[in-house]
Amino acid sequence: MELNELRTKIDDIDDKLASLYNQRMKLVKQVGEEKARTNRYVQDLTRENAIINRVTKAVDEDVRVYCKQVFDTLFETSRAYQARFVRVPSGVAEEIRSNLEGGLKVFPDYATVACQGVEGAYSMLATNRMFPLSDITYFKNFEGVFNAVEKGLCRYGMLPIENSSAGSVNAVYDLMKEHKFYIVRSIKLHVQHHLLAKKGVKLSEIKEVFSHEQAINQCKKWLGKTDVKVTIVPNTAVAAKMVAESDRTDVACISSRECASLYGLNVLAANMQDNDSNYTRFILISKKMEIFKNANRVSIMVNLPHTPGSLNRMLNKFSTFGFNLTKLESRPLPNTTFEFMFYFDFEADIENPAVVNLFAELENGDGQLVFLGSYYEVA
């Protein structure tokens, strides 16, 4: 047969498949309604495995793997459709539903916020953009911010999570595995780095530059043209304070223009960053789950089973529900051999019952789900 003749036959089969799929989904809806009436879970792995074993035996051996993939996708769409009718129980789902009762709250104008570093840090600038009024407490490191929120010393904590040039802040991602918290808002801050030194000091006199590791990575091209010593310090604002308080006149720092004003320093070189479109994304965390109006982004953390296809099946869930995946990050799990915790950011309506049911399904499944929050991102 010629190609066009083969395609005509395939079209005829596709039309029949579509009709059969429609019939199947009508029955799936009835199954979902029955599960809702009897408070049963959407997913039935025993039945799904039995179907896979049965249908793959009915096809040629060289297409059995592909047949399995087709039915895996079929089950995924069926569960997504059933989730519209079923209220799947789980700890995470019930906590989310409790937050949604009575409608979403308005984001506060004032809060106590924990930030890493000292006054002038980019975390402070992010906080000031997010809140008209705030009471900021500074901590030496990121873990101090997490601890302050966990112990109730501050209602919120502001943490950098990724940069458009230097990538993820791995130290924060690693701490996320160790602490219980929720993301309540995020913000993208346009970051512009400047070389600051004491008044009267010339650029040619600088022998050592202090800054945070991320800022240094974001200014590699500029630094690569010099022979200055680069010293990593905990924070860009800490670097500015060190220069201001130093007895030396041959040191400078990479920091913000706000720090220049705050610590009485001069700008020796402006906009040092490699990329002018240099943004750092910050997350605002809280001890308790809080979901505010306009929440359109969701973050979760999942420890998937170390089996073939587990990540692909997870990604298929996003595709089936029509979620726009905006971030996928993996971090190795300590004391394991090549096992990872995966972080997902995606756009979704948390008030959609099917979305909450998905979290319940994940929590009841063979992976480990941590719901990190549903929130709005300030551009």
Side-chain angles (χ1 to χ4, degrees), residues 296-298 315 317-328 344-349:
N296 58 3
R297 182 185 291 259
V298 172
L315 294 175
K317 294 181 188 295
F318 293 113
S319 176
T320 300
F321 278 89
F323 297 153
N324 180 30
L325 185 65
T326 58
K327 173 78 172 179
L328 171 57
F344 298 91
D345 288 350
F346 55 96
E347 296 173 351
D349 179 9

Side-chain angles (χ1 to χ4, degrees), residues 139-211:
F139 294 86
K140 185 177 180 180
N141 50 41
F142 294 138
E143 188 165 19
V145 174
F146 278 102
N147 289 332
V149 173
E150 280 187 339
K151 294 176 181 178
L153 300 176
C154 296
R155 180 176 176 181
Y156 299 123
M158 184 69 74
L159 293 161
I161 194 73
E162 63 178 317
N163 177 267
S164 57
S165 301
S168 299
V169 184
N170 291 332
V172 173
Y173 272 106
D174 290 338
L175 286 166
M176 287 167 68
K177 299 194 294 286
E178 303 174 16
H179 296 270
K180 180 174 174 58
F181 68 95
Y182 295 98
I183 302 172
V184 299
R185 187 150 286 207
S186 65
I187 185 170
K188 285 183 178 178
L189 186 70
H190 189 200
V191 175
Q192 294 176 304
H193 295 305
H194 311 290
L195 188 69
L196 312 181
K198 288 183 177 181
K199 293 179 179 179
V201 174
K202 297 179 181 178
L203 181 59
S204 58
E205 299 174 312
I206 301 303
K207 295 181 180 179
E208 186 173 7
V209 173
F210 304 127
S211 197

Side-chain angles (χ1 to χ4, degrees), residues 21 24-29 31-32 35 42-43 48 51 70-86 320-321 361:
Y21 180 76
R24 189 182 196 281
M25 292 301 275
K26 288 180 179 179
L27 294 172
V28 164
K29 178 181 178 180
V31 170
K35 287 180 178 178
V42 169
Q43 188 170 28
E48 289 181 8
I51 293 173
V70 168
F71 274 83
D72 282 340
T73 303
L74 186 64
F75 296 151
E76 197 69 59
T77 60
S78 297
R79 289 196 299 271
Y81 189 43
Q82 285 185 31
R84 297 169 57 181
F85 313 103
V86 179
T320 300
F321 278 89
E361 179 187 328

Side-chain angles (χ1 to χ4, degrees), residues 332-378:
L333 285 171
N335 304 317
T336 64
T337 304
F338 300 113
E339 291 190 33
F340 296 85
M341 180 71 80
F342 293 90
Y343 301 83
F344 298 91
D345 288 350
F346 55 96
E347 296 173 351
D349 179 9
I350 194 66
E351 295 184 274
N352 181 352
V355 175
V356 181
N357 280 340
L358 171 63
F359 301 145
E361 179 187 328
L362 292 173
E363 188 176 28
N364 294 324
D366 52 1
Q368 178 187 351
L369 169 74
V370 178
F371 176 77
L372 297 178
S374 177
Y375 53 94
Y376 174 74
E377 179 159 295
V378 180

Side-chain angles (χ1 to χ4, degrees), residues 237-298:
V238 169
K241 187 176 181 181
M242 288 174 61
V243 171
E245 296 176 352
S246 174
D247 294 331
R248 296 169 58 184
T249 58
D250 62 348
V251 293
C253 66
I254 299 173
S255 192
S256 66
R257 194 174 291 275
E258 287 80 3
C259 279
S261 300
L262 188 63
Y263 293 105
L265 302 174
N266 274 354
V267 177
L268 296 184
N271 296 328
M272 302 167 59
Q273 64 276 358
D274 298 343
N275 188 345
D276 287 336
S277 298
N278 187 35
Y279 288 85
T280 295
R281 182 169 174 249
F282 290 83
I283 55 173
L284 188 74
I285 65 170
S286 71
K287 182 178 182 179
K288 298 187 300 182
M289 183 189 296
E290 299 180 68
I291 305 176
F292 297 103
K293 286 185 176 181
N294 301 318
N296 58 3
R297 182 185 291 259
V298 172

